[in-house]
Amino acid sequence: MTDGLDSTGQRRYPTMAALPPKVDLGFLPTPVVAVPRLSAAVGGPELLMKRDDLTGLAFGGNKTRKLEYMIRKALDQGCDSVITAGAAQSNHCRQTAAAASRCGLDCHLVLGGGPPKRPEGNLLLDRILGARIHWGGARRKGEDIPDIVDRLRAEGRSPFVIPYGGSNELGACGFVEGVMELESQIDTTGISHIVFASSSGGTQAGLMVGRACVGGSFKLLGIQIDKDPGPGGEIPRDTIVDLACRTAEAIGCGTRWSADDVLLDDSFSESGYGVVGSLERDAIALTARTEGILLDPVYTGRAMGGLIELIRSGAINRDDRILFWHTGGTPALFPFGDALLGP
Ligand SMILES: *Cc1c(COP(=O)(O)O)cnc(C)c1O
């Protein structure tokens, strides 16, 4: 990691004012809560939780922060619609559909797979929110977006493309802001790790840039959710570094990173994206039964399962103080009912 110095030799720490303009879509700041009964149940360190499941936009989640910046750009450019992509149970797509409705834009979603008999969970919400669904089969990461954009333009429309997962240097600003927000809520000097589910990388990249901006000392540990490469075959760690550097550059933050600076634990993604096993099931049940807090089956259930494993194996120890960033996803609990109740 290198820290850029300005002409007077000072480190450059951008503030909230350096961030691009946005629209307000979420109820921010989201709460930070202690989860002492969960901490005790895992015999481990003190645990806090940042409740981005409560951002409030049509059941909330981490994509709301990214969308505040991207939707603003779509509006500023005079676009009349947005298009993005994800899995059939994508939380990103559901929040994009809600944001579009809120701002008077049409929403096109390119979803993996094909139409189910009955839409459930996030897909049901996409439909209620009025999104136009395009089924992409095996292509769930936006491979079909350029063709659909061409078609929409030919019809005289003006679509704004939001990348897979909302992960570009504009979306990542949402998590730069997220760290500044956290810093205004609690003293982070006692936090050893912030742990979260990492997939398309925008959350992790934004958190890295945010940490540089506030001069934070905590480690950022992403639990890798998806073992497949990105839409263009990218390796997650490279995507995150590249995005963090581009985001830092865009907002005038002098810090730069290399792949070694990215803490991304890939030991829990082997079963594949969206596959619920005992790791996720047990973590969801334990968090629900000790704290009354619902995690989701695809992301936060896996990330919490990973964190619990790391505590049990001693990789994270009793003296650590952990903040788990709850990134949302709870509407996906419903279609995963059978897997969650177990055999
Ligand atoms: C999208 C998502 C993530 C991962 O965020 P990325 O920025 O794509 O890495 C984590 N949790 C939930 C619930 C999500 O929907």
Side-chain angles (χ1 to χ4, degrees), residues 100-181:
S101 293
R102 168 91 166 267
C103 296
L105 301 167
D106 283 350
C107 180
H108 292 262
L109 300 176
V110 189
L111 303 182
K117 277 207 201 75
R118 218 161 60 89
E120 286 186 278
N122 282 306
L123 181 58
L124 170 66
L125 301 176
D126 296 341
R127 296 275 300 274
I128 292 173
L129 290 161
R132 280 274 317 275
I133 313 279
H134 307 261
W135 291 102
R139 300 176 306 282
R140 68 175 162 96
K141 297 196 175 180
E143 294 86 339
D144 293 345
I145 287 179
D147 285 349
I148 299 172
V149 164
D150 286 346
R151 261 188 1 243
L152 290 169
R153 292 215 173 105
E155 292 165 12
R157 306 305 306 269
S158 157
F160 183 87
V161 176
I162 294 178
Y164 175 72
S167 288
N168 59 15
E169 52 271 54
L170 204 51
C173 286
F175 276 89
V176 179
E177 182 188 329
V179 175
M180 294 174 177
E181 176 184 302

Side-chain angles (χ1 to χ4, degrees), residues 62-63 66 91 165 167 197-203 296 299 327-329:
N62 66 333
K63 305 308 183 304
K66 303 178 179 189
N91 303 299
S167 288
S198 191
S199 179
S200 69
T203 300
D296 84 282
Y299 296 92
T327 46

Side-chain angles (χ1 to χ4, degrees), residues 1 194 196 198-209 211 219-224 235-245 256-266:
M1 192 164 79
I194 294 180
F196 50 92
S198 191
S199 179
S200 69
T203 300
Q204 187 153 5
L207 291 171
M208 287 166 65
V209 179
R211 180 183 58 178
K219 293 190 172 114
L220 289 167
L221 174 58
I223 305 293
Q224 188 177 320
I235 310 292
R237 201 174 254 97
D238 296 346
T239 307
I240 292 166
V241 171
D242 183 51
L243 186 51
C245 291
R256 296 294 180 270
W257 299 263
S258 63
D260 293 341
D261 300 318
V262 179
L263 292 182
L264 185 63
D265 191 327
D266 65 1

Side-chain angles (χ1 to χ4, degrees), residues 255-323:
T255 307
R256 296 294 180 270
W257 299 263
S258 63
D260 293 341
D261 300 318
V262 179
L263 292 182
L264 185 63
D265 191 327
D266 65 1
S267 35
F268 308 103
S269 58
E270 205 35 55
S271 56
Y273 178 83
V275 177
V276 172
S278 58
L279 182 91
E280 295 82 12
R281 187 160 59 232
D282 294 350
I284 290 169
L286 188 65
T287 307
R289 292 167 195 185
T290 54
E291 298 288 348
I293 293 175
L294 297 170
L295 300 174
D296 84 282
V298 179
Y299 296 92
T300 53
R302 180 165 288 182
M304 182 62 82
L307 171 58
I308 293 170
E309 283 272 320
L310 294 171
I311 293 169
R312 292 200 170 133
S313 71
I316 286 179
N317 60 57
R318 248 167 237 280
D319 304 333
D320 286 323
R321 189 160 178 248
I322 312 291
L323 182 134

